């Protein structure tokens, strides 16, 4: 009889604990995928233009710098244009979903490129440079909730995405990422992105102005994005076509 009472009490405790955590989860109302969508919204407007400096730093301190213009429309259309150095000026890129191309003026015909290649070298790849919204490419599989941050565990929706898994640290106060750890299918770390120096770019755009990255595969190397301008702007669909790749500079005038 005594043993039966203990068993009943243990079952009761387990049920109460289950109900407590279930109700806590429901009452918090925290949805990981909704947080991810808000992160996207806070990082950049849905359609926008930006100017940034891309800096590649080698272990000996040697630097290579680029000035890069970007225009994005909706969730799957991005173009980019090199403004400097002179050796790269006029080269442009186009991304439609997971498909990417590079236009070189002397060649004339757009060349297919992949997400894991890099048009600038360094640690940033083409997927980083021509990034789509995180919520377009990833789903949240797990959410960790601490006092100041959310930790979002992301899984790629398709096999064509550059990183199979991502662990994103999100600052609760501004719902902006502070760190993004990019991993392969076995959860081996490929690179880490650090979002820094939140800046008011005007017209409601408050976003990190600096993104740094390093990788265990490129020890001693570092690459940096420094955004000088992020501004909401609408574009016609014509901008995101092969024919317009030679005319992207007209958007900067």
């Amino acid at each position: 009889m005594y043993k039966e009472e203990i068993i009943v009490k243990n079952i009761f405790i387990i049920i109460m604990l289950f109900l407590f955590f279930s109700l806590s989860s429901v009452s918090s109302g925290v949805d990981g995928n909704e947080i991810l969508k808000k992160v996207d919204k806070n990082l950049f407007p849905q359609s926008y233009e930006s100017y940034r400096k891309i800096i590649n730093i080698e272990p000996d301190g040697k630097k290579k710098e680029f000035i890069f213009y970007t225009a994005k429309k909706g969730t799957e259309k991005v173009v980019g244009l090199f403004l400097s150095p002179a050796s790269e000026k006029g080269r442009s890129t186009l991304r439609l979903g997971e498909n990417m191309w590079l236009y070189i003026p002397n060649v004339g015909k757009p060349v297919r490129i992949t997400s894991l290649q890099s048009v600038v070298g360094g640690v940033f790849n083409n997927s980083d440079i021509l990034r789509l919204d995180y919520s377009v490419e990833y789903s949240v599989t797990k959410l960790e909730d601490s006092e100041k941050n959310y930790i979002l565990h992301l899984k790629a929706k398709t096999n064509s995405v550059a990183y199979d898994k991502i662990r994103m640290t999100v600052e609760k106060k501004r719902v902006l990422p502070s760190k993004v750890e990019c991993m392969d299918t076995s959860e081996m770390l490929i690179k880490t992105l650090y979002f820094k120096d939140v800046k008011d770019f005007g017209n409601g755009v408050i976003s990190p102005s600096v993104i740094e990255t390093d990788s265990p595969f490129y020890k001693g190397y570092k690459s940096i994005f420094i955004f000088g301008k992020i501004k909401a702007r609408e574009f016609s669909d014509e901008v995101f076509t092969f024919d317009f790749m030679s005319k992207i500079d007209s958007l900067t005038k």
Side-chain angles (χ1 to χ4, degrees):
M1 189 71 178
Y2 179 70
K3 289 183 178 179
E4 290 178 353
E5 287 179 358
I6 293 177
I7 292 171
V8 170
K9 285 182 180 179
N10 287 339
I11 293 173
F12 177 77
I13 291 170
I14 291 169
I15 291 172
M16 291 305 294
L17 286 171
F18 174 78
L19 290 172
F20 173 78
F21 286 113
S22 296
L23 289 172
S24 297
S25 176
V26 172
S27 62
S28 67
V30 177
D31 184 315
N33 286 300
E34 287 303 314
I35 293 172
L36 189 60
K37 288 178 182 178
K38 194 165 185 180
V39 166
D40 286 328
K41 183 180 179 182
N42 290 346
L43 278 174
F44 297 102
Q46 185 69 20
S47 294
Y48 71 92
E49 67 178 1
S50 72
Y51 291 82
R52 74 186 116 158
K53 181 181 287 187
I54 303 174
I55 307 172
N56 292 331
I57 305 172
E58 298 183 4
D60 61 2
K62 184 179 178 182
K63 296 181 180 180
K64 187 170 185 179
E65 299 185 0
F66 308 84
I67 303 297
F68 196 72
Y69 172 81
T70 302
K72 178 177 176 288
K73 180 176 182 177
T75 60
E76 295 192 333
K77 298 178 180 179
V78 187
V79 293
L81 175 69
F82 287 96
L83 301 177
S84 72
S87 60
E88 305 293 326
K89 189 174 182 179
R91 293 191 178 202
S92 64
T93 56
L94 169 65
R95 179 172 185 177
L96 300 174
E98 293 305 319
N99 301 301
M100 304 181 192
W101 295 267
L102 171 67
Y103 169 81
I104 303 172
N106 293 337
V107 175
K109 183 179 178 180
V111 178
R112 191 82 177 239
I113 55 178
T114 70
S115 61
L116 293 176
Q117 292 174 324
S118 178
V119 292
V120 298
V123 188
F124 286 122
N125 59 34
N126 294 333
S127 180
D128 302 320
I129 298 165
L130 303 171
R131 193 180 65 77
L132 302 181
D133 289 357
Y134 286 109
S135 58
V136 170
E137 296 188 300
Y138 295 90
S139 296
V140 178
T141 59
K142 181 181 177 183
L143 167 66
E144 296 178 49
D145 190 346
S146 65
E147 183 181 351
K148 294 184 179 180
N149 298 300
Y150 295 116
I151 307 295
L152 303 181
H153 296 256
L154 314 182
K155 178 73 172 68
K157 294 180 180 179
T158 68
N159 294 329
S160 58
V161 179
Y163 314 113
D164 185 70
K165 295 180 178 68
I166 284 177
R167 184 165 54 241
M168 178 186 290
T169 303
V170 179
E171 179 191 336
K172 278 186 174 182
K173 186 176 180 180
R174 290 183 282 207
V175 195
L176 285 169
S178 58
K179 183 168 71 171
V180 170
E181 298 164 278
C182 307
M183 296 167 282
D184 65 10
T185 54
S186 63
E187 298 192 6
M188 181 172 66
L189 183 66
I190 298 173
K191 71 176 61 164
T192 304
L193 284 74
Y194 306 91
F195 294 72
K196 302 179 176 181
D197 300 341
V198 174
K199 175 181 175 181
D200 188 342
F201 289 93
N203 297 311
V205 180
I206 301 174
S207 185
S209 61
V210 176
I211 303 175
E212 296 182 1
T213 188
D214 56 32
S215 168
F217 296 101
Y218 296 89
K219 290 187 177 180
Y221 290 82
K222 181 192 291 186
S223 292
I224 306 171
F225 291 155
I226 302 176
F227 289 89
K229 177 181 178 181
I230 302 174
K231 180 183 177 182
R233 181 178 174 181
E234 297 298 325
F235 299 96
S236 68
D237 289 334
E238 178 193 7
V239 169
F240 307 91
T241 61
F242 289 155
D243 290 341
F244 202 84
M245 292 185 77
S246 62
K247 307 171 189 174
I248 295 175
D249 65 322
S250 65
L251 300 175
T252 67
K253 297 173 183 177

